[in-house]
């Protein structure tokens, strides 16, 4: 038998007892007892739920803002920063190398252009110095014919004209950087001279140039025709 507690804390017997004591009909007593039981059960459920909620609030998760950051995120960022620094260093090194290469190309190109301007007439000068050789030999021949012992006004004028032409030609050569070598008495240099004979070293040091059979020429310091020379050697008695 299920007992209920009244307002004063007394136990209330089941439906028939309630009906007799309080004057309810049997059907009304059943409804009253059922309502009381439902009310008490609801109070128990509500009390249990409130207790669980209170316990859950106390044991619940903390504020996510207070949670410590995951250590892997910092490590990943640091690793990414290191990789970016390496890429920057690599790209900077490549840029410096490309800049140096471009500067070298620019200098070589500029040197090539300057050399082309200076030595573009090199082939022409080689041909022109042959004309100068012929003019020099002709002037020497005219000088021999125009000796004081055999005065000839015509030959004298020819010699003077040839001398003026030769002097003017050498002046034009010098203006354009073309110079005649004067190697007599200098040491033999295979880059400037070509040996055609050996002569006894009379009053000269062996290995020096004693005579020149054909003049050599330089264009802006570059040899365009070697001088044909005779080198002095020690005489063997």
């Amino acid at each position: 038998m299920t007992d209920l507690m009244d307002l004063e804390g007394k136990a209330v017997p089941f439906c028939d007892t309630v009906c007799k004591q309080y004057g309810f009909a049997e059907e009304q007593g059943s409804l009253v007892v059922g309502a009381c039981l439902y009310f008490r059960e609801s109070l128990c459920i509500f009390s249990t739920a409130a207790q669980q909620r209170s316990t859950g609030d106390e044991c619940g998760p903390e504020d996510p803002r207070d949670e410590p950051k995951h250590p892997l995120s910092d490590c990943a960022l640091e690793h990414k920063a290191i990789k970016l620094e390496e890429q920057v260093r690599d790209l900077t090194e490549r840029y410096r190398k490309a800049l140096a290469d471009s500067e070298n190309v620019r200098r070589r190109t500029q040197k090539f252009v300057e050399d082309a301007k200076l030595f573009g007439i090199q082939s022409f000068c080689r041909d022109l110095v042959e004309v100068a050789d012929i003019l020099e030999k002709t002037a020497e021949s005219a000088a021999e014919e125009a000796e004081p012992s055999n005065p000839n006004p015509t030959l004298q004028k020819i010699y003077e004209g040839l001398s003026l032409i030769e002097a003017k030609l050498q002046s034009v050569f010098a203006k354009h950087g073309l110079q005649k070598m004067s190697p007599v008495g200098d040491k033999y240099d295979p880059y400037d001279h070509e040996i055609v004979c050996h002569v006894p070293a009379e009053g000269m040091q062996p290995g020096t140039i004693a005579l020149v059979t054909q003049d050599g020429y330089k264009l802006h310091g570059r040899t365009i025709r070697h001088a044909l020379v005779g080198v002095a050697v020690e005489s063997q008695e």
Side-chain angles (χ1 to χ4, degrees):
M1 302 293 290
T2 303
D3 295 336
L4 296 178
M5 302 298 294
D6 58 6
L7 296 177
E8 297 178 356
K10 298 180 179 180
V12 179
F14 193 56
C15 181
D16 52 352
T17 307
V18 173
C19 290
K20 291 179 180 180
Q21 185 175 354
Y22 293 97
F24 292 131
E26 184 178 356
E27 184 178 355
Q28 293 176 344
S30 299
L31 292 175
V32 171
V33 172
C36 292
L37 292 174
Y38 178 77
F39 179 72
R40 186 175 66 175
E41 186 176 357
S42 298
L43 288 176
C44 293
I45 294 174
F46 178 77
S47 176
T48 303
Q51 185 178 3
Q52 291 178 353
R53 182 180 299 175
S54 176
T55 305
D57 291 341
E58 293 176 357
C59 301
E62 297 179 356
D63 191 346
R65 291 177 296 180
D66 298 335
E67 293 182 357
K69 294 183 178 179
H70 203 285
L72 292 179
S73 60
D74 294 338
C75 294
L77 290 174
E78 184 177 357
H79 180 69
K80 188 174 182 180
I82 294 174
K83 285 190 65 177
L84 289 175
E85 290 178 357
E86 292 177 354
Q87 292 178 0
V88 168
R89 284 195 296 268
D90 182 55
L91 292 175
T92 303
E93 186 66 22
R94 290 184 181 181
Y95 170 74
R96 290 178 178 173
K97 289 181 179 179
L99 189 63
D101 292 341
S102 64
E103 181 65 17
N104 291 335
V105 170
R106 187 190 66 80
R107 290 179 179 177
R108 287 196 297 267
T109 304
Q110 185 178 2
K111 184 67 167 56
F112 178 78
V113 172
E114 292 176 355
D115 290 346
K117 291 179 180 179
L118 293 176
F119 304 106
I121 59 173
Q122 183 171 317
S123 298
F124 176 71
C125 290
R126 286 198 185 101
D127 296 336
L128 197 59
V129 294
E130 295 180 1
V131 178
D133 292 340
I134 296 173
L135 183 61
E136 183 179 0
K137 291 178 181 179
T138 304
E140 291 175 355
S141 298
E144 293 175 358
E145 293 293 334
E147 292 181 354
S149 59
N150 185 18
N152 189 332
T154 304
L155 289 177
Q156 187 69 28
K157 290 181 180 180
I158 292 174
Y159 170 70
E160 291 176 356
L162 292 175
S163 297
L164 291 174
I165 294 173
E166 185 181 6
K168 182 63 177 178
L169 186 61
Q170 293 298 327
S171 175
V172 172
F173 285 174
K175 180 180 178 181
H176 293 279
L178 183 62
Q179 294 179 346
K180 182 192 294 187
M181 299 182 193
S182 300
V184 177
D186 296 339
K187 294 288 291 184
Y188 168 74
D189 187 353
Y191 294 101
D192 295 333
H193 313 133
E194 182 179 347
I195 299 175
V196 294
C197 64
H198 292 89
V199 297
E202 297 178 357
M204 301 184 68
Q205 293 183 357
T208 59
I209 297 173
L211 58 90
V212 178
T213 60
Q214 186 182 69
D215 293 326
Y217 283 87
K218 286 185 176 184
L219 180 63
H220 296 292
R222 178 188 293 181
T223 301
I224 63 171
R225 192 178 77 172
H226 290 73
L228 304 181
V229 299
V231 178
V233 293
E234 293 181 357
S235 59
Q236 297 179 357
E237 298 179 355

